[in-house]
Amino acid sequence: MTDAPEDGFPAEDGLQVDDSFHVFDTTLRDGAQREGISLTVADKLTIARHLDDFGVGFIEGGWPGANPRDTEFFQRAAAEIDFRHAQLVAFGATRKAGVRAEDDPQVAALVDSGAPVVTLVAKSHDRHVELALRTTLEENLAMVRDTVAHLRARGRRVFVDCEHFFDGYHANPGYATQVVRTAHEAGADVVVLCDTNGGMLPAQVQTVVAAVLAETGARLGIHAQDDTGCAVANTLAAVDAGATHVQCTANGYGERVGNSNLFPVVAALEIKYDRRVLPAGKLAEMTRISHAIAEVVNLTPSTHQPYVGVSAFAHKAGLHASAIKVDPDLYQHIDPERVGNTMRMLVSDMAGRASIELKGKELGIDLGGDRALVARVVERVKERELAGYTYEAADASFELLLRAEVEGRARRYYRVESWRAIVEDRPDGTHANEATVKLWAKGERIVATAEGNGPVNALDRALRVALERIYPKLAALKLTDYKVRILEGSLGTGSITRVLVSTSDEHGEWSTVGVAENVIAASWQALDDAYAYGLRRAGVEPQE
Ligand SMILES: CC(=O)SCCNC(=O)CCNC(=O)[C@H](O)C(C)(C)COP(=O)(O)OP(=O)(O)OC[C@H]1O[C@@H](n2cnc3c(N)ncnc32)[C@H](O)[C@@H]1OP(=O)(O)O
Ligand SMILES: CC(=O)C(=O)O
């Protein structure tokens, strides 16, 4: 064993040495049981690297022998990943009823996986033993005892997941506790109490964990599914009652609605409980790791996830902003930098003066304490939002509005004389889309026509044909997203259309908004802002 530094973790080259508390990740096993997730071996290897980099103590990689992918994962992980913090864990079940552990191919696959740690799922609810396993309560205890002993004799560290433990304890506390005692006495290092159906609430979990700990003296862990929306709270309640091993998944992925989310659990342990469970400096990488794993599983990261979501420290209400201006702690439970996230100000019709001042600061625009100017911007935002604009989703349109107020006029790169878009419907069912723009730039009147795969695309092309000679940097701007929403009319008006456009250049992406009764007119406004913003940020001067 290497000398443990103050945080209980070794230097770069060793495994976690602080064994007193386990952060056990099961993204690759329980997380993969989520509907919509389908991981390749390469995906699993990439996620394992991220988790090891983050510093979890254990990575449950899957069920070797259950499918060729998981079997291959264990072979390749051992050969290809130089784990710096985590130990690899193979998951499987206790031996079959009536079969010796040494004769059970499923148990052999766990040994063959080469993983130094094995988690065995065991029945602890009497009804499950009788109905699902179709065996006796005594045989189930023997299955637990034999399988743990078999794996211990082969040098494996063993954790036992007691499936349906809390429901089982409620139905038959004596039997559920006997399963824990049997696993412990057979040599399991940790006995994990599982809320498999996810129906528990924190107070129930806390009471049961405390009682089982007092009765058995076994080292206990917690595995909480999220069916009541309490998985994280249940995990922490178990820790409060003395559990020292938490099973979680990245971003809460898991069977049905999911599992206990690794990130808020780890953040709570580190920040709220002041317990070092990650290597030094790793908590600040949490947001990046969460998003990187979401990328691999091909799910959009949840914007509202605690700690790591992009909205986790985004402030919208004017009253909040006015207090944050004095001290961000007044409306934030932690400094977002501790988890690698950032504070953002949102501008909307709920903004007040302080929101605009803080947003200006975030954008690097000096408002010079000009109260009248700030009040004008607040009023303008409220008027425009009433008309259907949304600035919290269109950062670039807001910045153009703010700069126009500060500079006394909007900086425009061309003057529009007119535009039109035509959709031609043909008898064979096909369409042709054509647009013409007439505008003035650099003292010149320019008329350009283009076709496109839709009327907005045709307008975009015509605008580029007209302007690219004068503003060559337009060529680097790409439209990356286009969203349309029909808004209900108010005060007797008809319905109106809001268009949000995302545009990117080689340095990043921005969003702009347009609102009009007509979808093409709304799109034109959003495009107009998108190019004005893109040229401005590229340092191009208007040639009007
Ligand atoms: C709570 C959890 O999430 S545990 C994790 C569950 N994960 C998975 O099930 C994913 C991987 N599973 C699989 O690929 C397959 O189910 C396999 C390979 C494990 C088994 O497949 P099959 O042999 O075709 O069996 P099947 O899935 O129909 O049934 C499971 C068998 O395991 C038995 N079993 C269930 N739990 C246990 C247990 N704790 N110990 C021993 N046997 C068990 C069942 O009684 C059933 O036995 P039977 O075949 O004699 O009826
Ligand atoms: C083991 C497991 O995934 C459960 O009981 O939910």
Side-chain angles (χ1 to χ4, degrees):
M1 213 185 245
T2 43
D3 284 335
E6 264 176 26
D7 64 1
F9 284 83
E12 296 297 72
D13 56 350
L15 291 171
Q16 180 181 349
V17 293
D18 178 4
D19 197 43
S20 66
F21 194 93
H22 296 166
V23 175
F24 179 109
D25 181 276
T26 176
T27 306
L28 300 179
R29 199 277 298 169
D30 204 322
Q33 290 173 219
R34 172 183 158 129
E35 182 174 16
I37 290 186
S38 173
L39 301 175
T40 63
V41 175
D43 293 335
K44 291 186 101 166
L45 292 167
T46 305
I47 292 172
R49 287 190 182 92
H50 284 307
L51 291 167
D52 182 52
D53 179 29
F54 187 44
V56 303
F58 299 90
I59 298 174
E60 190 166 70
W63 188 329
N67 58 66
R69 180 196 50 197
D70 282 9
T71 305
E72 184 184 334
F73 168 77
F74 281 94
Q75 288 160 0
R76 288 186 54 189
E80 295 175 25
I81 304 182
D82 183 15
F83 287 101
R84 296 206 330 222
H85 303 294
Q87 297 194 45
L88 207 51
V89 184
F91 177 92
T94 50
R95 69 163 173 81
K96 289 235 171 219
V99 176
R100 296 187 323 157
E102 45 271 55
D103 296 335
D104 189 322
Q106 187 266 140
V107 176
L110 293 171
V111 176
D112 293 346
S113 74
V117 185
V118 172
T119 305
L120 285 177
V121 62
K123 301 285 187 212
S124 55
H125 188 318
D126 55 2
R127 192 156 177 266
H128 282 264
V129 175
E130 282 155 2
L131 293 183
L133 284 186
R134 296 178 305 282
T135 190
T136 62
L137 299 185
E138 292 69 31
E139 172 63 357
N140 181 52
L141 293 176
M143 287 157 67
V144 172
R145 189 182 307 113
D146 296 352
T147 321
V148 173
H150 175 82
L151 291 167
R152 294 290 294 125
R154 278 146 193 84
R156 299 306 189 271
R157 190 173 189 185
V158 181
F159 302 152
V160 171
D161 278 2
C162 288
E163 245 195 297
H164 298 101
F165 184 82
F166 294 90
D167 301 297
Y169 188 87
H170 182 69
N172 185 344
Y175 186 71
T177 308
Q178 210 177 340
V179 175
V180 173
R181 199 176 287 114
T182 302
H184 174 55
E185 288 171 1
D189 277 347
V190 182
V191 184
V192 184
L193 310 187
C194 301
D195 181 18
T196 306
N197 292 359
M200 294 297 128
L201 298 174
Q204 296 168 308
V205 169
Q206 192 162 349
T207 306
V208 173
V209 172
V212 175
L213 191 59
E215 253 185 272
T216 64
R219 181 172 185 180
L220 297 183
I222 179 75
H223 176 112
Q225 298 293 140
D226 199 29
D227 300 68
T228 54
C230 288
V232 169
N234 286 343
T235 302
L236 297 175
V239 172
D240 290 337
T244 54
H245 167 118
V246 292
Q247 296 199 351
C248 302
T249 59
N251 303 320
Y253 303 139
E255 183 89 22
R256 302 187 304 283
V257 301
N259 217 294
S260 182
N261 188 338
L262 174 70
F263 302 120
V265 167
V266 161
L269 291 167
E270 287 260 341
I271 299 173
K272 315 284 179 178
Y273 286 47
D274 203 17
R275 186 167 213 157
R276 298 285 74 79
V277 296
L278 292 176
K282 289 298 176 183
L283 189 64
E285 297 196 31
M286 193 162 91
T287 300
R288 176 183 68 76
I289 300 267
S290 159
H291 291 215
I293 292 176
E295 201 59 53
V296 182
V297 303
N298 203 19
L299 290 173
T300 309
S302 160
T303 51
H304 290 75
Q305 203 182 139
Y307 295 97
V308 299
V310 293
S311 301
F313 301 94
H315 303 279
K316 184 159 169 177
L319 285 191
H320 295 207
S322 92
I324 283 172
K325 217 176 80 174
V326 182
D327 179 354
D329 286 354
L330 292 172
Y331 273 92
Q332 290 185 155
H333 71 118
I334 58 159
D335 176 352
E337 283 183 15
R338 293 185 76 179
V339 293
N341 209 337
T342 43
M343 180 174 92
R344 291 186 308 124
M345 297 312 297
L346 302 177
V347 171
S348 75
D349 60 357
M350 288 188 205
R353 286 194 319 274
S355 317
I356 302 297
E357 284 171 28
L358 286 170
K359 189 71 187 178
K361 210 176 201 179
E362 192 182 304
L363 296 172
I365 301 173
D366 181 12
L367 299 177
D370 185 338
R371 287 175 71 85
L373 183 149
V374 172
R376 270 200 318 278
V377 174
V378 171
E379 202 175 320
R380 187 121 177 80
V381 166
K382 290 189 191 242
E383 266 169 30
R384 303 266 287 178
E385 292 237 338
L386 182 65
Y389 291 81
T390 175
Y391 287 107
E392 69 175 69
D395 46 359
S397 288
F398 172 73
E399 189 172 332
L400 291 173
L401 181 156
L402 183 62
R403 288 191 186 277
E405 284 296 337
V406 172
E407 293 166 10
R409 71 184 194 97
R411 188 198 270 205
R412 288 288 164 199
Y413 288 81
Y414 49 88
R415 187 160 49 83
V416 183
E417 186 180 303
S418 67
W419 59 262
R420 71 164 176 256
I422 302 166
V423 180
E424 187 179 300
D425 195 16
R426 298 183 181 129
D428 64 1
T430 59
H431 294 88
N433 303 284
E434 186 185 300
T436 299
V437 297
K438 296 178 187 171
L439 47 82
W440 291 81
K442 215 176 178 180
E444 228 184 285
R445 181 172 185 266
I446 306 168
V447 178
T449 296
E451 292 179 316
N453 55 26
V456 177
N457 180 244
L459 258 185
D460 177 39
R461 287 187 173 188
L463 197 55
R464 286 169 183 266
V465 171
L467 292 172
E468 269 183 11
R469 183 172 45 83
I470 296 172
Y471 300 117
K473 290 208 164 160
L474 266 184
L477 309 188
K478 309 240 173 316
L479 297 189
T480 53
D481 200 10
Y482 175 83
K483 288 195 195 98
V484 179
R485 180 153 169 220
I486 308 297
L487 306 169
E488 286 295 318
S490 62
L491 302 174
T493 62
S495 62
I496 46 173
T497 308
R498 177 198 290 155
V499 169
L500 285 166
V501 163
S502 299
T503 310
S504 70
D505 61 13
E506 62 271 29
H507 306 296
E509 193 174 75
W510 58 94
S511 301
T512 51
V513 62
V515 171
E517 284 185 13
N518 170 324
V519 64
I520 304 181
S523 306
W524 171 267
Q525 285 177 23
L527 283 177
D528 189 37
D529 267 9
Y531 293 139
Y533 184 85
L535 290 172
R536 178 169 193 134
R537 102 192 208 119
V540 178
E541 286 300 322
Q543 300 284 322
E544 231 206 285

